[in-house]
mmCIF file of all heavy atoms in Angstrom:
data_model
loop_
_atom_site.group_PDB
_atom_site.id
_atom_site.type_symbol
_atom_site.label_atom_id
_atom_site.label_comp_id
_atom_site.label_asym_id
_atom_site.label_seq_id
_atom_site.Cartn_x
_atom_site.Cartn_y
_atom_site.Cartn_z
ATOM 1 N N THR Y 1138 -17.640 29.813 74.330
ATOM 2 C CA THR Y 1138 -18.854 29.430 73.600
ATOM 3 C C THR Y 1138 -18.915 27.910 73.555
ATOM 4 O O THR Y 1138 -17.929 27.254 73.201
ATOM 5 C CB THR Y 1138 -18.816 29.975 72.161
ATOM 6 O OG1 THR Y 1138 -18.705 31.396 72.229
ATOM 7 C CG2 THR Y 1138 -20.072 29.587 71.404
ATOM 8 N N ILE Y 1139 -20.063 27.362 73.921
ATOM 9 C CA ILE Y 1139 -20.215 25.914 73.811
ATOM 10 C C ILE Y 1139 -21.364 25.585 72.857
ATOM 11 O O ILE Y 1139 -22.369 26.290 72.795
ATOM 12 C CB ILE Y 1139 -20.423 25.229 75.186
ATOM 13 C CG1 ILE Y 1139 -21.635 25.781 75.912
ATOM 14 C CG2 ILE Y 1139 -19.176 25.359 76.043
ATOM 15 C CD1 ILE Y 1139 -21.927 25.045 77.212
ATOM 16 N N THR Y 1140 -21.162 24.536 72.089
ATOM 17 C CA THR Y 1140 -22.154 24.105 71.102
ATOM 18 C C THR Y 1140 -22.924 22.918 71.675
ATOM 19 O O THR Y 1140 -22.335 21.981 72.200
ATOM 20 C CB THR Y 1140 -21.460 23.665 69.801
ATOM 21 O OG1 THR Y 1140 -20.469 24.629 69.493
ATOM 22 C CG2 THR Y 1140 -22.444 23.544 68.675
ATOM 23 N N TRP Y 1141 -24.254 22.986 71.516
ATOM 24 C CA TRP Y 1141 -25.116 21.994 72.152
ATOM 25 C C TRP Y 1141 -26.061 21.412 71.119
ATOM 26 O O TRP Y 1141 -26.874 22.143 70.549
ATOM 27 C CB TRP Y 1141 -25.892 22.699 73.285
ATOM 28 C CG TRP Y 1141 -26.771 21.806 74.096
ATOM 29 C CD1 TRP Y 1141 -26.700 20.457 74.241
ATOM 30 C CD2 TRP Y 1141 -27.874 22.231 74.914
ATOM 31 N NE1 TRP Y 1141 -27.676 20.012 75.090
ATOM 32 C CE2 TRP Y 1141 -28.408 21.079 75.525
ATOM 33 C CE3 TRP Y 1141 -28.449 23.467 75.195
ATOM 34 C CZ2 TRP Y 1141 -29.499 21.132 76.388
ATOM 35 C CZ3 TRP Y 1141 -29.531 23.531 76.063
ATOM 36 C CH2 TRP Y 1141 -30.043 22.366 76.659
ATOM 37 N N TRP Y 1142 -25.905 20.127 70.831
ATOM 38 C CA TRP Y 1142 -26.845 19.440 69.921
ATOM 39 C C TRP Y 1142 -27.876 18.732 70.788
ATOM 40 O O TRP Y 1142 -27.553 17.796 71.506
ATOM 41 C CB TRP Y 1142 -26.112 18.422 69.057
ATOM 42 C CG TRP Y 1142 -25.289 19.026 67.971
ATOM 43 C CD1 TRP Y 1142 -25.113 20.362 67.710
ATOM 44 C CD2 TRP Y 1142 -24.510 18.329 66.990
ATOM 45 N NE1 TRP Y 1142 -24.280 20.524 66.637
ATOM 46 C CE2 TRP Y 1142 -23.900 19.305 66.174
ATOM 47 C CE3 TRP Y 1142 -24.288 16.978 66.718
ATOM 48 C CZ2 TRP Y 1142 -23.068 18.962 65.102
ATOM 49 C CZ3 TRP Y 1142 -23.465 16.630 65.658
ATOM 50 C CH2 TRP Y 1142 -22.869 17.618 64.860
ATOM 51 N N THR Y 1143 -29.130 19.185 70.680
ATOM 52 C CA THR Y 1143 -30.141 18.677 71.602
ATOM 53 C C THR Y 1143 -30.842 17.419 71.095
ATOM 54 O O THR Y 1143 -31.412 16.673 71.880
ATOM 55 C CB THR Y 1143 -31.227 19.736 71.842
ATOM 56 O OG1 THR Y 1143 -31.880 19.986 70.602
ATOM 57 C CG2 THR Y 1143 -30.626 21.022 72.370
ATOM 58 N N GLY Y 1144 -30.867 17.211 69.767
ATOM 59 C CA GLY Y 1144 -31.567 16.052 69.220
ATOM 60 C C GLY Y 1144 -33.076 16.099 69.428
ATOM 61 O O GLY Y 1144 -33.748 15.082 69.323
ATOM 62 N N GLN Y 1145 -33.616 17.291 69.715
ATOM 63 C CA GLN Y 1145 -35.048 17.402 70.013
ATOM 64 C C GLN Y 1145 -35.791 18.120 68.889
ATOM 65 O O GLN Y 1145 -35.170 18.797 68.071
ATOM 66 C CB GLN Y 1145 -35.253 18.199 71.308
ATOM 67 C CG GLN Y 1145 -34.491 17.664 72.487
ATOM 68 C CD GLN Y 1145 -34.921 16.249 72.861
ATOM 69 O OE1 GLN Y 1145 -36.095 15.933 72.885
ATOM 70 N NE2 GLN Y 1145 -33.941 15.398 73.117
ATOM 71 N N ASP Y 1146 -37.111 17.984 68.879
ATOM 72 C CA ASP Y 1146 -37.893 18.727 67.897
ATOM 73 C C ASP Y 1146 -38.038 20.184 68.356
ATOM 74 O O ASP Y 1146 -37.616 20.552 69.448
ATOM 75 C CB ASP Y 1146 -39.257 18.066 67.667
ATOM 76 C CG ASP Y 1146 -40.067 17.944 68.941
ATOM 77 O OD1 ASP Y 1146 -39.822 18.735 69.879
ATOM 78 O OD2 ASP Y 1146 -40.928 17.054 69.008
ATOM 79 N N SER Y 1147 -38.650 20.993 67.507
ATOM 80 C CA SER Y 1147 -38.610 22.440 67.754
ATOM 81 C C SER Y 1147 -39.298 22.828 69.059
ATOM 82 O O SER Y 1147 -38.841 23.718 69.768
ATOM 83 C CB SER Y 1147 -39.261 23.168 66.578
ATOM 84 O OG SER Y 1147 -40.559 22.676 66.381
ATOM 85 N N GLU Y 1148 -40.383 22.113 69.377
ATOM 86 C CA GLU Y 1148 -41.127 22.459 70.589
ATOM 87 C C GLU Y 1148 -40.254 22.266 71.834
ATOM 88 O O GLU Y 1148 -40.171 23.131 72.705
ATOM 89 C CB GLU Y 1148 -42.362 21.561 70.675
ATOM 90 C CG GLU Y 1148 -43.528 22.171 71.386
ATOM 91 C CD GLU Y 1148 -44.700 21.195 71.367
ATOM 92 O OE1 GLU Y 1148 -44.834 20.419 70.385
ATOM 93 O OE2 GLU Y 1148 -45.452 21.196 72.336
ATOM 94 N N ALA Y 1149 -39.581 21.116 71.882
ATOM 95 C CA ALA Y 1149 -38.707 20.832 73.017
ATOM 96 C C ALA Y 1149 -37.502 21.759 73.004
ATOM 97 O O ALA Y 1149 -37.008 22.163 74.060
ATOM 98 C CB ALA Y 1149 -38.263 19.371 72.958
ATOM 99 N N ASP Y 1150 -37.039 22.099 71.794
ATOM 100 C CA ASP Y 1150 -35.887 22.989 71.682
ATOM 101 C C ASP Y 1150 -36.172 24.357 72.295
ATOM 102 O O ASP Y 1150 -35.298 24.970 72.894
ATOM 103 C CB ASP Y 1150 -35.504 23.159 70.210
ATOM 104 C CG ASP Y 1150 -34.303 22.301 69.860
ATOM 105 O OD1 ASP Y 1150 -33.732 21.694 70.790
ATOM 106 O OD2 ASP Y 1150 -33.939 22.248 68.682
ATOM 107 N N GLU Y 1151 -37.405 24.835 72.117
ATOM 108 C CA GLU Y 1151 -37.761 26.138 72.692
ATOM 109 C C GLU Y 1151 -37.597 26.108 74.202
ATOM 110 O O GLU Y 1151 -37.088 27.040 74.821
ATOM 111 C CB GLU Y 1151 -39.204 26.489 72.327
ATOM 112 C CG GLU Y 1151 -39.319 27.221 71.018
ATOM 113 C CD GLU Y 1151 -40.767 27.367 70.581
ATOM 114 O OE1 GLU Y 1151 -41.625 27.628 71.453
ATOM 115 O OE2 GLU Y 1151 -41.026 27.187 69.374
#
Side-chain angles (χ1 to χ4, degrees):
Chain Y
T1138 301
I1139 58 175
T1140 315
W1141 183 21
W1142 286 2
T1143 63
Q1145 306 298 317
D1146 58 24
S1147 55
E1148 209 178 328
D1150 258 354
E1151 271 171 40

